[in-house]
Amino acid sequence: MPRYLSILTFAAALFCGACQNSHSDSKNQSSPEAGVKPAFVAQRGTPVLDGSGSDDLWEASDWLPINQIWAGTLPKPDDFSGRYKLAWDENNLYILAETTDDVLLDVHPQALEHFWDDDCLVVFLDEDASGGTHEFSYNAFAYHIALDGSVADVAPDSSFRYFNDHCLTRRIARDNVNTWEIAVRIFDGKQYKDEGDNVPMLLKKGKKMGFALAYCDNDHSAERESLVGNVPLPNTQNKQQWLNADVFGTLELR
Ligand SMILES: [Ca+2]
Ligand SMILES: [Ca+2]
Ligand SMILES: [Ca+2]
Ligand SMILES: [Ca+2]
């Protein structure tokens, strides 16, 4: 065999080995291999929004993992681990999230500053699945849901704002495990106006949206220690790729 062919064969064998490892690592996870846009589905139904996942709807749904490091260090399971389920009806997208976090931190309660450095759950929603940047626009919303249920994001004028009426959360804490049951109202980001009379959309079967979910874990630091998401980012840590909705998964309402 010519030398260049044997090198190619060796490289191909290495690549396939990597594929197999990546596949076995992602077993039982929704997160596909790099380069494939993650696909999620939400089943139709309306849970009782009481913070408990005991609804028949939730019990019939599968857990999906929050286990992809986006920034900081990958926490050990007792430091942070998380999983979630999705559902929808005409009025809301519903998220049931279960997070295990050894220390709950809320250094900036009731304040629009450094909300990302407190423990919080972040719902990323790109209503028209357009992808693209969203940090200073409503091309997609990044709802930072704090432990007190307040919801914050960055507005187009780069100010920090509350969006408390976009996400209603009831949370139950048992030891280190928190259950968050969230109703997310969906707004058309192209029409959305600060201080405007914004009307949430009616949702229909078959609708596709860009979606991602992440948890900011801070236990004792000036800045958050970990940002862990539900989708793999192409180049891992500290590149802030979540500021572009291209990396979100696609969520279909079934
Ligand atoms: Ca419930
Ligand atoms: Ca922690
Ligand atoms: Ca969009
Ligand atoms: Ca924490």
Side-chain angles (χ1 to χ4, degrees):
M1 185 185 292
R3 181 173 164 73
Y4 73 91
L5 271 183
S6 65
I7 291 171
L8 280 178
T9 307
F10 178 64
L14 272 184
F15 176 72
C16 286
C19 288
Q20 280 164 5
N21 286 340
S22 137
H23 186 261
S24 60
D25 286 345
S26 63
K27 198 176 170 189
N28 297 325
Q29 300 173 12
S30 68
S31 311
E33 287 122 42
V36 180
K37 200 165 179 66
F40 306 108
V41 294
Q43 300 297 338
R44 196 175 183 290
T46 307
V48 176
L49 210 76
D50 55 1
S52 159
S54 62
D55 311 65
D56 291 346
L57 166 73
W58 292 132
E59 295 200 341
S61 305
D62 293 329
W63 288 108
L64 303 167
I66 305 172
N67 62 356
Q68 304 289 320
I69 188 68
W70 285 7
T73 53
L74 184 64
K76 293 198 165 66
D78 58 347
D79 182 2
F80 169 76
S81 53
R83 55 185 189 166
Y84 68 102
K85 298 179 178 186
L86 296 166
W88 71 282
D89 65 16
E90 285 84 350
N91 296 308
N92 297 290
L93 171 70
Y94 297 100
I95 302 167
L96 178 73
E98 184 188 271
T99 57
T100 300
D101 184 356
D102 50 346
V103 179
L104 286 185
L105 195 72
D106 193 3
V107 175
H108 317 91
Q110 301 291 318
L112 277 176
E113 56 182 68
H114 290 268
F115 47 81
W116 56 90
D117 287 325
D118 288 332
D119 287 325
C120 62
L121 200 60
V122 194
V123 177
F124 294 87
L125 219 298
D126 175 12
E127 178 273 327
D128 60 355
S130 61
T133 58
H134 63 84
E135 185 177 15
F136 301 116
S137 73
Y138 296 129
N139 180 30
F141 291 94
Y143 298 125
H144 293 67
I145 304 175
L147 295 172
D148 63 6
S150 62
V151 182
D153 189 15
V154 185
D157 64 1
S158 75
S159 67
F160 301 130
R161 283 178 176 263
Y162 283 124
F163 295 85
N164 292 346
D165 60 332
H166 290 221
C167 304
L168 176 59
T169 303
R170 293 224 166 83
R171 182 173 62 90
I172 293 177
R174 275 196 202 92
D175 299 325
N176 291 344
V177 180
N178 281 262
T179 310
W180 316 57
E181 200 168 24
I182 307 163
V184 185
R185 299 162 91 194
I186 306 299
F187 290 89
D188 178 350
K190 297 185 293 301
Q191 310 285 335
Y192 195 88
K193 298 269 187 303
D194 293 324
E195 335 299 350
D197 189 12
N198 302 292
V199 178
M201 299 178 76
L202 275 181
L203 302 179
K204 290 188 178 135
K205 182 176 177 173
K207 181 175 179 58
K208 290 185 177 173
M209 300 185 281
F211 170 77
L213 185 66
Y215 186 82
C216 297
D217 184 21
N218 196 353
D219 297 338
H220 45 67
S221 302
E223 298 180 348
R224 71 181 164 208
E225 292 150 10
S226 307
L227 176 60
V228 186
N230 70 330
V231 295
L233 297 185
N235 294 310
T236 61
Q237 298 188 27
N238 296 327
K239 308 277 192 199
Q240 298 197 313
Q241 296 167 79
W242 57 89
L243 297 177
N244 190 314
D246 288 350
V247 303
F248 298 177
T250 304
L251 168 61
E252 181 182 350
L253 307 183
R254 285 264 168 90

